[in-house]
Amino acid sequence: MMMVEVRNLDQKRVCDISEDRTHIVISKKNCKTIISVAQDGTLEVNHVRSSPLLPA
């Protein structure tokens, strides 16, 4: 799925949106929020926590 960056007026990246406009991904530190449109038109919101990077 190809994603397009969305930036605010300060040119900071706010989220990514799929080209077909059915998924939005918001990333903040090690948390990712994924908003998707279900078949019936309702929104599904999922939160995923990625593991922090381990020191080298």
Side-chain angles (χ1 to χ4, degrees):
M1 168 178 10
M2 282 295 291
M3 302 294 279
V4 177
E5 291 181 2
V6 177
R7 295 186 177 268
N8 65 13
L9 294 175
D10 294 327
Q11 296 304 310
K12 295 195 180 223
R13 188 175 183 173
V14 177
C15 65
D16 295 321
I17 187 167
S18 64
E19 287 184 338
D20 62 0
R21 306 250 189 236
T22 58
H23 294 82
I24 296 174
V25 178
I26 302 168
S27 298
K28 186 78 171 179
K29 294 188 180 179
N30 66 338
C31 295
K32 187 180 285 191
T33 301
I34 303 167
I35 304 168
S36 357
V37 179
Q39 292 288 341
D40 62 359
T42 60
L43 297 178
E44 295 178 359
V45 179
N46 295 302
H47 304 283
V48 179
R49 185 176 306 274
S50 57
S51 58
L53 296 175
L54 299 174

